[in-house]
Amino acid sequence: MERKHVVLYVILLLLGTKMWASTITVCKTCPIKTIKEGIARAADFDTILIKKGTYHEFNIRITKPLTLIGEDYPIIDGQEQGEIIQIAANNVTIEGVFIKNVGTSYTSDYAAIRVIRSEDFLIQNVKLEKLFFGIYLEKSKNGKVLNNKIVGDAKDEYNSGNGIQLWHSQNIIVANNSVQRVRDGIYLEFSDDILIENNYSANNLRYGLHFMFSNDDIYKGNTFENNGAGVAVMFSKRIKMLGNTFRKNWGTASFGMLLKEINDAEIYGNTFEENTVGISIEGSNRIDYKNNDFIRNGWAIKVRGACYANTITNNNFLYNSFDLAYNSNLNDNIFEGNYWSSYTGYDLNRDGIGDVPFRPVKLFSYIVNRTPETIILLRSLFMDIIDFSEKVSPVFTPDNLVDAKPLMKKNK
């Protein structure tokens, strides 16, 4: 009997004050009329229920574990006075509110929701409009950012913020969000072990997703469409890029994906469709490209140099203007077992592999690389003649830049 009492006491102790958490209702006709007042009166682990209506509040600071839930998307209008909600405690949830009119500051980077040095937070089903920065995570970890809709009105890169920003954060899940018309849809800086999954990032001024100095992150199942450029992965290590779609990222200097100074990455099962450049690569090493589709891009892949020990295998290159541009030595990079829609070889022994090696770099691609103005000759008879001459007697393309085992059928 004694022992049972002890066990019960320990369970109650572990559950803590959560057992007695209460709900505080905020509305215009309630005794508590503002969110700030509701937070001030709340005890740890209480829930603040915000009824439908418009609340003109900003600099709402949460310093204790709480849950803020909006009913029918109440509007929190910051009237461009500053930051709207700041979380500085563990175990905080924000859900179902509509936040707009964040203030603009080029020194403080005002955000609709900022999380500072916090753990185990959840931000979900939130709508953000007319913002500077949207959701800003700062030195935080073990949190989730789910199912949020962020729509900015950014016009210039220099005076706009990012939709979701992670700075010095770890072990965060960012999933099923829609981010549009900001500077960078999602931005990571010094943030490790992050999962970016099933997000839609479109119509942003600079990048749909941007990595800087971040390691061991995964992004998969996302769509990056019609951005200044799709994704930039820079100065990072061990990034996994799986099953994403990069579509219609057009512009004179645009691309689906930029890889710059990264190492030991995996790029599997992605679709690059109708981008100026599918992937632009510079100074990137030990990267495995496999089972990707490159469809109707200007250039499928542009390799700028200082790239070593990369493998490009089992990919489909379909109807690109140029499959590959290369302005340096092949080094020890490997192209093998890919399907090239422009391959015209044959397969006499019917083993599914072309008997004639394929040279993915055309002479005209080489010329355009050196003199961009010659692009106006694309689709002309001149281009066909010089490409044919290079095929017969290669002079400009590296001798060993060939796919020795081109596939006869598209890789599924």
Side-chain angles (χ1 to χ4, degrees):
M1 196 69 178
E2 282 279 324
R3 191 174 176 183
K4 282 184 180 177
H5 285 152
V6 171
V7 170
L8 181 62
Y9 175 76
V10 170
I11 291 172
L12 291 174
L13 192 64
L14 289 172
L15 290 173
T17 55
K18 227 170 179 175
M19 287 284 291
W20 293 274
S22 59
T23 298
I24 296 172
T25 303
V26 175
C27 72
K28 293 300 178 186
T29 57
C30 298
I32 299 174
K33 294 180 171 51
T34 68
I35 300 167
K36 282 183 181 175
E37 187 182 355
I39 293 170
R41 293 196 181 197
D44 288 0
F45 298 104
D46 277 357
T47 295
I48 311 289
L49 177 63
I50 308 168
K51 294 282 190 176
K52 188 172 185 178
T54 300
Y55 301 83
H56 295 111
E57 297 188 55
F58 61 97
N59 291 345
I60 300 168
R61 185 169 166 81
I62 302 172
T63 57
K64 53 189 149 189
L66 284 180
T67 298
L68 263 68
I69 296 181
E71 186 177 275
D72 296 329
Y73 281 99
I75 299 170
I76 305 176
D77 185 346
Q79 298 181 302
E80 301 183 358
Q81 298 295 306
E83 201 145 88
I84 311 293
I85 297 177
Q86 191 176 98
I87 298 171
N90 297 336
N91 297 294
V92 172
T93 294
I94 296 180
E95 180 176 355
V97 294
F98 180 5
I99 301 174
K100 67 177 186 179
N101 290 326
V102 180
T104 298
S105 168
Y106 302 111
T107 55
S108 301
D109 290 346
Y110 288 151
I113 301 174
R114 181 185 297 271
V115 183
I116 303 174
R117 298 179 185 275
S118 301
E119 296 185 30
D120 302 312
F121 57 88
L122 171 62
I123 301 169
Q124 68 176 355
N125 301 321
V126 168
K127 297 179 181 177
L128 306 179
E129 286 187 7
K130 296 185 178 177
L131 49 102
F132 189 49
F133 283 79
I135 299 169
Y136 198 129
L137 312 181
E138 180 179 326
K139 295 191 173 181
S140 296
K141 56 186 176 181
N142 305 329
K144 297 177 181 176
V145 179
L146 312 175
N147 306 312
N148 302 293
K149 185 176 182 181
I150 301 173
V151 181
D153 53 359
K155 294 180 176 58
D156 304 296
E157 282 186 22
Y158 68 90
N159 63 3
S160 56
N162 302 322
I164 300 172
Q165 174 145 334
L166 289 74
W167 183 69
H168 277 283
S169 295
Q170 290 84 40
N171 194 27
I172 308 288
I173 298 174
V174 179
N176 301 311
N177 300 283
S178 172
V179 188
Q180 299 193 56
R181 301 211 297 273
V182 292
R183 182 174 57 193
D184 290 350
I186 304 169
Y187 177 76
L188 282 70
E189 187 173 353
F190 301 110
S191 293
D192 304 334
D193 299 306
I194 309 296
L195 173 61
I196 311 284
E197 185 174 17
N198 296 331
N199 299 282
Y200 179 70
S201 185
N203 306 307
N204 298 301
L205 291 181
R206 193 165 62 179
Y207 304 125
L209 171 62
H210 189 182
F211 291 82
M212 291 292 285
F213 309 107
S214 298
N215 303 321
D216 301 300
D217 300 327
I218 300 172
Y219 70 95
K220 63 180 182 179
N222 304 282
T223 298
F224 306 102
E225 185 171 14
N226 196 34
N227 298 288
V231 174
V233 186
M234 307 169 81
F235 308 103
S236 300
K237 298 176 182 174
R238 300 178 297 278
I239 306 295
K240 294 184 179 180
M241 316 172 210
L242 315 172
N244 302 285
T245 298
F246 305 78
R247 185 188 297 134
K248 295 183 183 298
N249 297 292
W250 283 109
T252 52
S254 190
F255 42 78
M257 180 193 292
L258 169 68
L259 305 178
K260 184 174 177 60
E261 306 296 336
I262 77 164
N263 295 313
D264 303 300
E266 296 175 5
I267 302 176
Y268 296 164
N270 301 281
T271 299
F272 299 86
E273 186 173 5
E274 297 186 21
N275 303 284
T276 303
V277 179
I279 307 181
S280 180
I281 311 166
E282 183 176 355
S284 298
N285 309 299
R286 300 182 299 280
I287 297 172
D288 195 9
Y289 304 77
K290 191 181 290 181
N291 299 326
N292 301 290
D293 290 337
F294 297 89
I295 308 169
R296 293 188 296 276
N297 299 282
W299 285 263
I301 298 178
K302 259 190 178 182
V303 182
R304 296 186 180 277
C307 297
Y308 295 87
N310 299 290
T311 58
I312 296 94
T313 58
N314 294 318
N315 301 284
N316 295 311
F317 292 83
L318 306 171
Y319 321 115
N320 303 291
S321 297
F322 304 108
D323 289 323
L324 184 62
Y326 221 95
N327 68 353
S328 65
N329 297 326
L330 176 62
N331 300 325
D332 53 356
N333 301 309
I334 296 172
F335 292 82
E336 190 171 278
N338 301 288
Y339 176 77
W340 311 85
S341 60
S342 54
Y343 179 63
T344 56
Y346 43 82
D347 179 19
L348 294 179
N349 61 1
R350 298 188 181 280
D351 64 352
I353 297 173
D355 297 340
V356 181
F358 179 68
R359 292 182 175 276
V361 177
K362 297 176 180 176
L363 176 56
F364 188 62
S365 169
Y366 176 84
I367 294 172
V368 170
N369 234 10
R370 296 180 64 90
T371 314
E373 294 80 7
T374 58
I375 192 68
I376 62 171
L377 297 171
L378 185 68
R379 317 282 183 211
S380 70
L381 178 62
F382 171 75
M383 185 195 83
D384 294 335
I385 292 172
I386 61 173
D387 278 342
F388 178 75
S389 64
E390 179 71 2
K391 186 185 294 183
V392 173
S393 179
V395 175
F396 293 97
T397 55
D399 287 344
N400 50 356
L401 208 170
V402 294
D403 187 336
K405 298 179 179 178
L407 299 179
M408 296 302 294
K409 291 183 179 178
K410 181 180 167 186
N411 181 46
K412 294 181 180 177

